[in-house]
Each structure stands twice: as C-alpha cells, then as structure tokens.
Amino acid sequence: MVLSLVSLCAREVVRDHSSSPCWLRWVPRELYTPLLDASFTGCRPLAVGELVQRWPERTLRVGRRRKPGQTGPNRLCVQALLLAVVRGMSDQRCALQVLDLCGLQGDEGGMGDPMGGWSLTVALCTMVVQARTRAQRAQRERKRLSVLQREKDVKRERGEKTDTDELRGHDTEELDLCGTVEEDEVILGVRRRMEVERKRETLVAGPGGSRRDAEEKDENADVSVHVRADLFVNARSLERVRGAVGALGPLRLQCRYLRVEEVSVTSIKTLLGLLPRQGLLGVDVRYSSLGVAGLAELLPLLSTFPALSSLRLHYCNLDFRRDHVGQEEALRDLCQGLTQLQELRRLSLTALRLPGQLRVLLSSLPQPLEVLELPYLSLSPGDLAYLSCSHHASTLQQLDLSENRLDENTVTSVCRLLSQAASGLQHLSLTGCGLTDALLGLLLPSLGGCRALKSLALALNPLSVAGLVDLVRMAVRMPSLRQLLYPNPLEDYQPGLPDLPSSAQLLDWPLDAVTDINVTSSQLNRVLIESGRSDLFLTCDLLNYDKDLVD
C-alpha cells in the first residue's frame, strides 16, 4: 500500500507527543482526519485524545470498513477517544455532534490488541454514564452559584447585613442554601415534568405523529452528542446497557446492529423498548431459548423499527418437530409477525429445527430476500422445492445451505434454485452437504451459470481429486469468481473412512501423513495457470476462509 504525502507527514507529526502544544493550535480542520488516522495507526492514544477533544467537525466516523489484513484501532486508542468525547463537551473548541463507531469492534485478542464487541459496548455505556454524571454535577454547581448570586443581590438591595455579619453567618448560610437548593430542585423538577408532558401531548396530537416519536424528539432536545454503534449484549452486560440506553443526558446512545447472547425473551423486549426507533438495521439473537412463542412475542416489537433489514437467529431453540400444546397458534402468530417486517432483506436461521416449515415462514415475508442463510436446518425435499420456486429465488445475492444433506432427489431443486438466482447470486455456501463426485457433476452446469458469483464454499464434502479438478475447471470459466473453498480429497485421509462420510467425520478424521497434501494443491493450481486466471484464490483452509474479503 502506497501512502500519500499527507499520511506520511501526519505520522511524523503525531510521533512526538511533546511537540503537540506547538502544532495543535495551528492545524487547519481538513488535516484533523489524517492526523487522527495516523494516531490510530501508530497507536498514539495521547494524540487521539487531544485531537478528538477539540474536533472541529460536526461528525466523526471511526468505524469505517477496513481493508483486508488491516487491524482496527488499538484498545488504548479507543479508550482515549471515548474519554476525549466526554471532555470535549465542556471544550468550546469541540464542534462534535455525531460520533459514528459502527464497525469499530475487532476480534478480542487479535493482532494489535483491538477492542472486541462486548468490551466496546461496556466502554460506551461507561462513557454515557460518566457524561451524565458530569452534566448533573455541573448543573448542581450552576444552581448553587445561581442561588448564591441571588441571595447576594437580595441582601445588597435590602442592605440587611454587613461584611462582618456575612463572615460570621457563613456556616449557617451553607446549611440554609442546601435546603434552598433542594426545594428549588423539587419545584423545578415538577415544573419540568409538566412542561415535558404538555410538549408530548401537543406532538402526539399533531398530524402523522406517534407518542413514541414525540418522546424521542423530546429526549433528543438536550442531547449534545449522538453516539452510533453496534452493541453486543449478554447476561453480564445487560443491566449496564439498559442503564446507558435509557439514560437521559448529553450523550445519546444509538444502535445500528444489536447482538444479544444468552438473554431471555423478557430482557430482549425490555432492551428493544429502550432503543431509539430510527437507525436500528439488524438484530442478531444467539444462544437464547426463545422458542416459537418467544419469537412470536418479539416480532411485533421488531416491526416498530422502520429501517430493520436484518434478522439473525442462531441456536434459539425453535423446534417445530415437537407437538406442543398451542404450537399451531404460536406458529400463526409467528407468521403474522413476519408479515409486519416490511424492510427485511436478510434472514439467517441457524440450527433451528423446522423441517417442512420453510414455506410457512418465507411466504409470510412481504418483500423478497437478498440474503438467506439456512445452515443446520434439516431442510426437507419439500423445503428445497419451495425455495427454488419462491419469490425470493431471483433476488438472492447470498445463499448458505451448509450442513443440509443433499441427495439425488433434492439436488434437482438446488439446480433449479441456482438457475433462478444466477443473475444476482454473489456468495454461495454448500459446505457439509454430502456432495459426492456424482452429485457435483449434476450441480456443475447450474453453478457455472452463476455469472455474478464471487465466492463458493464446498468444504467438508466427500469429493475425490478427479471431482476437485472438474470443479476447478468449471470455476476458471466463471469470470466473477474470486474465492473457492474446496474440501480435502478423500485420497488425503487415512484408511478406514466410511464410503459416504458425514461432514463431522471428515472434520475429525486425520489426514494421511504419508500423502503430501501439497500435491493436490499443485494439481489444482496447474489448472489455474493453464487457464490464465491469476485472480482466483483456491484454499482448503476452512478456519481462515472469509467470503467478505472479496467484497
């Protein structure tokens, strides 16, 4: 990566913190961004703090999309940034009104010590609470000084006390002032609440308004900085997040993507009720025992977020195979709730046992999906047949059918589905689907027709070397394909593997130490070289595969 002259100079400037008093006051506003980038890159938390505290623009975006291999800001730099935001609210030089941290979180323990999603969420909540406490303390001090000044003005007008009397009565005056401040706070608090209620009633009565919108407008009136971020909440951080999201103060926390883990339905509903209606784009629920009835309770609340476009449910104990009392009624409520998600474009359902119910769920959605992830769903032949003919097929850009075992009866439905999605499908995963050489041969013509496909994942399928060569020969004829994740061929495993091994057996079975796995890689790369495709990346590394690297 070639750095610009501005970037190189910015790195040199922020390297020596002792010189910052000399240049900070003379920096033009257009150089603040490259200086801040250089401070993050060089891990200069003191420089980050000083720049953010006097940020000259109304908006500061830190969580921008990173390039492949680029690490996020260091943990110390993120902490310095958050502290500087709080300090900057009392700094006349700071013009910050919107802090956008969406996408800032990294992987805990990753390269460069980035701040993970959970740690960043906790740090943000702490920042909101600190700002509220500081604002309350400043307000109390202003009230105290106001009372003192008013008392002095009254005494000066009446001429009741001499300087000596004032000194003598200083101690008792402090006690009287405490009582006066408390009474004033009570009176002002009551008046304030009455004014707020009148404003709300006026706004609700207006055309096209709602009570919730009126409340949010009123709450935002006293906000100095709006903070946008992706929040990661679990049982340990739930109470802290609740307190920060529902807090009224100079900092207002807004959520773009909400991820919750191991949290009950009731707690999720409470948290959603505290979030601002505008701006929430996605909800990701993991390892929470929702059940069909619990999800049916959440959906009406999710429909109140007008921009919600993504819903992800992972291991949430949705089981349609058991005949529970009230299951039919809960399923009807679930479908009714799905019909209200007007902007939903991404649906991810992982390990939810619902064979035969895909038509019921997907036909309820008012808009066709662009991203559909259905791994570990035990899809039935009827499910795949419906999906291939549904109104979602032609609009799909990303499809994940991993760990749904295919056979001669279902592969025809997948071929039909790929033909319908051929013009727009960009990412496809058929990992662990039990694809043999024969089944892959049936799929290859339909796969080759997906001209927009950028990434293809076929790991943990029982293919031979000959099957892999046929796969790569087809892949090199796909102009948009940039990544191909292929499985280790059956010849590379130790003897004793079953004739039709499952994905779990392929994952656990040891590779043959005598066989050189580089031989397979060399053979496949030879096909690439002969075709002249240097832009197609082949890998069998399942753990480090990332389809997003090609975007």
Side-chain angles (χ1 to χ4, degrees):
M1 180 178 66
V2 179
L3 296 175
S4 66
L5 180 60
V6 173
S7 299
L8 290 171
C9 292
R11 288 190 178 187
E12 289 298 321
V13 169
V14 301
R15 181 169 296 175
D16 183 11
H17 181 260
S18 62
S19 64
S20 61
C22 301
W23 55 263
L24 261 175
R25 66 180 64 182
W26 307 112
V27 174
R29 61 191 303 166
E30 59 268 17
L31 291 182
Y32 269 75
T33 297
L35 285 170
L36 184 61
D37 291 340
S39 302
F40 281 131
T41 303
C43 188
R44 304 291 176 183
L46 295 177
V48 169
E50 291 190 336
L51 289 167
V52 173
Q53 185 173 340
R54 58 184 78 195
W55 193 254
E57 305 286 348
R58 292 185 176 183
T59 302
L60 171 57
R61 292 185 176 90
V62 180
R64 289 169 291 185
R65 190 181 181 117
R66 294 184 290 273
K67 297 178 181 179
Q70 184 180 5
T71 60
N74 179 278
R75 180 184 300 268
L76 291 176
C77 291
V78 175
Q79 291 172 343
L81 181 147
L82 300 183
L83 289 173
V85 170
V86 177
R87 292 197 302 266
M89 289 189 299
S90 57
D91 194 325
Q92 297 296 326
R93 298 165 297 185
C94 186
L96 186 63
Q97 295 181 8
V98 176
L99 175 64
D100 192 341
L101 302 178
C102 297
L104 177 62
Q105 65 275 10
D107 297 324
E108 295 279 6
M111 292 286 292
D113 191 25
M115 184 172 280
W118 185 86
S119 299
L120 179 60
T121 300
V122 172
L124 282 171
C125 294
T126 303
M127 176 186 69
V128 171
V129 173
Q130 286 178 348
R132 181 181 57 182
T133 303
R134 178 175 289 201
Q136 290 173 344
R137 188 184 302 119
Q139 185 178 12
R140 286 196 299 268
E141 182 63 19
R142 286 195 298 271
K143 287 181 178 179
R144 189 183 72 84
L145 294 176
S146 177
V147 170
L148 285 173
Q149 186 62 43
R150 190 163 60 247
E151 293 271 344
K152 287 182 179 179
D153 292 342
V154 171
K155 291 171 183 176
R156 189 180 299 112
E157 290 176 2
R158 295 179 179 178
E160 290 182 352
K161 286 194 176 183
T162 62
D163 294 341
T164 308
D165 294 334
E166 288 181 2
L167 289 173
R168 188 182 301 138
H170 178 73
D171 295 335
T172 56
E173 180 184 322
E174 291 295 331
L175 294 176
D176 292 339
L177 288 177
C178 293
T180 305
V181 171
E182 290 177 1
E183 291 175 4
D184 286 349
E185 287 181 353
V186 172
I187 294 171
L188 290 174
V190 172
R191 289 176 180 170
R192 174 60 178 163
R193 284 195 296 271
M194 292 173 64
E195 291 173 3
V196 168
E197 287 300 325
R198 280 198 297 270
K199 288 181 181 178
R200 288 176 181 172
E201 295 299 332
T202 303
L203 289 171
V204 170
S210 68
R211 187 176 185 86
R212 177 67 188 180
D213 292 338
E215 290 176 358
E216 288 189 8
K217 288 179 182 178
D218 187 71
E219 290 170 359
N220 291 333
D222 298 327
V223 175
S224 300
V225 180
H226 293 271
V227 182
R228 298 172 184 164
D230 302 328
L231 301 183
F232 176 16
V233 187
N234 60 14
R236 287 191 300 156
S237 60
L238 178 61
E239 290 302 323
R240 187 174 300 191
V241 175
R242 274 183 190 167
V245 171
L248 297 178
L251 286 182
R252 179 69 167 162
L253 192 56
Q254 298 177 339
C255 180
R256 183 185 67 161
Y257 286 105
L258 175 65
R259 174 175 168 180
V260 293
E261 288 190 3
E262 299 178 332
V263 178
S264 67
V265 177
T266 304
S267 298
I268 296 175
K269 290 172 62 178
T270 302
L271 185 57
L272 289 173
L274 295 172
L275 291 175
R277 302 293 100 181
Q278 304 294 330
L280 183 65
L281 301 183
V283 174
D284 185 348
V285 184
R286 305 188 179 203
Y287 314 114
S288 300
S289 186
L290 296 181
V292 179
L295 180 58
E297 288 182 40
L298 282 182
L299 290 177
L301 191 54
L302 292 176
S303 66
T304 62
F305 295 91
L308 187 74
S309 61
S310 174
L311 177 60
R312 311 185 72 184
L313 304 173
H314 300 267
Y315 301 95
C316 290
N317 194 29
L318 265 70
D319 192 347
F320 290 91
R321 299 181 302 177
R322 301 175 185 172
D323 189 16
H324 295 302
V325 177
Q327 182 94 314
E328 233 178 86
E329 184 179 353
L331 185 57
R332 282 198 302 270
D333 294 340
L334 182 61
C335 295
Q336 181 62 33
L338 288 172
T339 60
Q340 300 173 20
L341 302 181
Q342 296 294 328
E343 297 300 323
L344 193 67
R345 295 295 185 273
R346 175 178 187 143
L347 182 63
S348 179
L349 308 173
T350 301
L352 310 181
R353 296 176 290 275
L354 41 80
Q357 302 294 339
L358 200 63
R359 176 190 296 271
V360 177
L361 295 178
L362 297 188
S363 61
S364 304
L365 297 174
Q367 300 292 337
L369 295 171
E370 297 176 356
V371 177
L372 182 60
E373 299 174 336
L374 305 171
Y376 297 94
L377 245 64
S378 305
L379 295 176
S380 67
D383 291 329
L384 291 171
Y386 160 73
L387 188 57
S388 65
C389 303
S390 71
H391 66 296
H392 303 287
S394 60
T395 62
L396 287 177
Q397 298 178 13
Q398 184 173 321
L399 177 64
D400 187 352
L401 298 176
S402 299
E403 299 298 336
N404 290 286
R405 200 164 183 84
L406 303 177
D407 54 26
E408 293 81 0
N409 297 322
T410 54
V411 75
T412 54
S413 297
V414 176
C415 290
R416 190 184 310 116
L417 173 60
L418 294 178
S419 299
Q420 292 291 325
S423 61
L425 190 63
Q426 299 179 16
H427 303 283
L428 175 64
S429 178
L430 296 174
T431 294
C433 289
L435 291 174
T436 60
D437 289 356
L439 292 178
L440 180 64
L442 297 176
L443 268 180
L444 284 180
S446 298
L447 281 173
C450 297
R451 311 299 290 178
L453 199 65
K454 296 180 179 179
S455 69
L456 175 61
L458 294 173
L460 301 180
N461 284 295
L463 298 175
S464 66
V465 173
L468 291 180
V469 171
D470 292 340
L471 172 63
V472 175
R473 284 175 178 166
M474 180 275 302
V476 297
R477 296 195 298 269
M478 301 174 68
S480 298
L481 194 64
R482 294 294 179 266
Q483 271 196 119
L484 174 61
L485 175 65
Y486 64 87
N488 293 104
L490 295 176
E491 292 88 342
D492 286 356
Y493 288 91
Q494 289 184 4
L497 195 65
D499 293 336
L500 290 176
S502 65
S503 59
Q505 290 171 324
L506 291 172
L507 185 63
D508 295 335
W509 205 272
L511 296 175
D512 194 345
V514 179
T515 306
D516 186 3
I517 60 175
N518 291 324
V519 173
T520 302
S521 177
S522 301
Q523 191 171 351
L524 299 180
N525 281 312
R526 193 177 305 119
V527 177
L528 279 185
I529 294 172
E530 292 173 357
S531 66
R533 284 292 300 272
S534 59
D535 57 347
L536 177 57
F537 177 64
L538 305 180
T539 179
C540 60
D541 188 357
L542 177 60
L543 295 179
N544 294 315
Y545 172 76
D546 185 3
K547 61 176 178 53
D548 294 330
L549 293 180
V550 300
D551 286 337

